[in-house]
Amino acid sequence: MGQDLIVVSVVAFLGALLATPLVLAVLRRTRIFDHPNHRSSHSVPTPRGGGWGLLCGFAVGLVALAWFRDSALPFPWPMLAGALLLLVVSAIDDIRGLGAAVRFGAQIVAVAIALASLPGDALLFQGWLPLPLDRLATAVAWLWFINLYNFMDGIDGLAATEAVAIGAGIGAVALLAGAAFDSVVAPGWMLAAAALGFLPWNWQRARIFLGDVGSILLGFLGGWLLIALAMEGQAAAALILPAYFLADATVTLLRRLIQGAHPAEPHREHFYQRAIRAGWSHAGTTLFVASVNAGLFLLALLSVDHPWLAIAGAALLTGGALAFLDRAWRNRRG
């Protein structure tokens, strides 16, 4: 098992590392760029759609896993069909733009298809809710995670670094807890490895952006793996690992709703964006969030045996990180 894990992770890493410059060349030739505006955190047109490179790495890792384990792909076909739907819609959105209703409608369909493939005894809330309510709550949580991941993809390296932390955390917790290897452990590490392979091309100053094809699919795949981890009895870890992204996006949304802003209106009010506006570099801000994620990784491991203690620690760590970023912003303003 250990050798298989190393091999498929290396395959995913190399796949993304080598595929991304090819994607970059295609995007430049077809002139698919993200042009800066007053809401952007970048200042020069940058190719958008680099998620294709990351996803290529993850895909070849999946094929390698099926090959070495002499088994089927670790994801059910309905879930892969949902991912394909989002891949097509997000690719079109990167090229020419789509309305919010079309994008969100595709997400609802993809999530519904994937959840319909789960057996009746696979419950996110471990029997605390009847099956229909469990599925509805799971769908809402997954849809929010997909969209918040897209919201949080706003500076160089941040979304890819988050994928490394979440994927590695899922794989490590699942391995420690004895969860299913092919469907949780290996895909988690492969997601982390593919994101790590993409990261050199996306680091400050980024030569390529993920685009919706990257951020939406990372939210979809990462959400599926977090749900799978929770259904394996590790709900605390599934909540802890993405805690910074969850907190930043949710608090920002609630604050803007209180202020009367439209929830879908583009802005630069996330805590990490305020840090950039306060003078922090993209690399410095991403490394700060990465250090928070390192702490969350350790707390997720602790949650296998001490879930409530780990959740309390994650709340303190995440709250402290947001408070620190907020203070940096207020000091700059004031």
Side-chain angles (χ1 to χ4, degrees):
M1 182 174 71
Q3 183 177 357
D4 291 349
L5 185 59
I6 293 172
V7 170
V8 298
S9 297
V10 170
V11 168
F13 170 79
L14 292 177
L17 184 67
L18 299 176
T20 300
L22 301 179
V23 172
L24 176 58
V26 171
L27 294 174
R28 283 174 172 166
R29 188 162 55 248
T30 53
R31 304 195 62 79
I32 301 175
F33 290 96
D34 192 314
H35 294 277
N37 55 47
H38 68 282
R39 294 182 298 269
S40 303
S41 295
H42 64 289
S43 57
V44 297
T46 304
R48 176 180 63 206
W52 283 104
L54 192 158
L55 294 171
C56 282
F58 186 69
V60 296
L62 289 179
V63 173
L65 178 65
W67 177 270
F68 285 113
R69 304 280 291 181
D70 192 24
S71 62
L73 291 174
F75 298 137
W77 287 109
M79 185 270 178
L80 294 176
L84 180 61
L85 171 63
L86 290 184
L87 187 67
V88 172
V89 171
S90 298
I92 295 172
D93 191 37
D94 279 335
I95 294 170
R96 62 180 183 86
L98 291 172
V102 175
R103 299 195 305 269
F104 191 61
Q107 294 168 21
I108 292 174
V109 172
V111 166
I113 291 173
L115 291 180
S117 70
L118 292 175
D121 60 348
L123 300 173
L124 179 64
F125 294 92
Q126 305 295 306
W128 288 94
L129 295 175
L131 179 60
L133 288 181
D134 187 277
R135 289 289 186 267
L136 178 61
T138 302
V140 171
W142 197 359
L143 286 167
W144 175 229
F145 187 75
I146 292 169
N147 284 279
L148 76 83
Y149 212 100
N150 185 239
F151 298 157
M152 296 293 288
D153 179 26
I155 63 172
D156 299 346
L158 184 63
T161 302
E162 182 76 6
V164 173
I166 289 177
I170 290 170
V173 170
L175 190 63
L176 183 64
F181 180 83
D182 288 356
S183 60
V184 186
V185 177
W189 280 104
M190 287 189 297
L191 183 65
L196 191 62
F198 171 77
L199 195 54
W201 303 97
N202 185 235
W203 196 253
Q204 186 182 9
R205 187 176 68 178
R207 285 169 280 180
I208 189 170
F209 292 160
L210 278 170
D212 278 4
V213 75
S215 61
I216 293 295
L217 265 293
L218 280 177
F220 184 75
L221 294 172
W224 172 270
L225 290 174
L226 288 168
I227 290 168
L229 184 66
M231 289 180 175
E232 291 276 358
Q234 302 303 317
L239 183 63
I240 290 168
L241 288 169
Y244 174 79
F245 263 35
L246 286 170
D248 191 324
T250 303
V251 172
T252 299
L253 176 64
L254 293 175
R255 182 175 59 206
R256 286 177 53 77
L257 288 174
I258 291 171
Q259 294 170 349
H262 192 284
E265 180 184 357
H267 61 86
R268 291 196 300 164
E269 296 299 324
H270 287 288
F271 288 84
Y272 76 90
Q273 290 172 319
R274 286 183 165 190
I276 298 297
R277 293 165 63 191
W280 289 29
S281 68
H282 286 224
T285 305
T286 297
L287 287 172
F288 174 80
V289 175
S291 69
V292 175
N293 283 333
L296 294 173
F297 179 96
L298 295 176
L299 288 166
L301 295 179
L302 176 65
S303 74
V304 175
D305 294 318
H306 304 285
W308 291 110
L309 177 62
I311 288 174
L316 289 172
L317 176 60
T318 305
L322 295 185
F324 186 84
L325 293 176
D326 188 61
R327 175 175 285 275
W329 163 249
R330 293 180 185 278
N331 287 344
R332 175 59 182 261
R333 293 183 67 190

